[in-house]
Amino acid sequence: MPLSEHEQRMLEQMERALYAEDPKFATALEGSGLRTYTRRRVYQAVAGIVVGIALLMTGVIIPNVLWISVVGFLVMLGCTVLVVTGWRKAPKPGEQPVSGSTGGSARSHNRQRRSMMNRIEDRWQRRRDEQGQ
């Protein structure tokens, strides 16, 4: 259930108070959490691909140790999947609203989402009114 107008104002007020009280902590909380996490995950997966290539080459060079090549291939495959999915999930710099400024596409998306939420809230109110009468 979405926040009411009053709850949204209270939340914004609390955010402003947090920024005024401890701006360093507020900035750390705001961060680009998902973006940083996703970027770190992609870098780790790329490192895993390099390790997989090393294992694959080691298995090819050393005779009678085919299983190392298989493990290397599986590591490369798994890390490639992580890179591709992580790259797709990574939000673009303009997608997440930064305090005070949003990109044009983010604004239109927010408007569409808000209008949808307004319709849902209106339907909910009508149902409650119909049941109450």
Side-chain angles (χ1 to χ4, degrees), residues 44-127:
Q44 289 171 347
V46 168
I49 290 171
V50 171
V51 168
I53 290 172
L55 287 173
L56 185 68
M57 291 297 124
T58 303
V60 170
I61 293 170
I62 300 173
N64 299 330
V65 192
L66 183 64
W67 64 272
I68 292 179
S69 294
V70 173
V71 169
F73 176 76
L74 292 176
V75 168
M76 284 180 4
L77 181 66
C79 289
T80 303
V81 169
L82 286 177
V83 167
V84 171
T85 58
W87 202 262
R88 286 182 185 168
K89 290 181 183 179
K92 307 289 184 284
E95 282 183 349
Q96 288 186 341
V98 181
S99 59
S101 66
T102 57
S105 64
R107 251 190 239 135
S108 65
H109 177 68
N110 194 15
R111 245 185 273 132
Q112 290 172 352
R113 187 175 181 196
R114 188 65 203 147
S115 65
M116 181 188 75
M117 294 308 293
N118 284 338
R119 286 186 307 215
I120 292 172
E121 287 175 0
D122 291 341
R123 288 178 189 165
W124 180 258
Q125 282 295 343
R126 276 184 279 161
R127 286 182 186 148

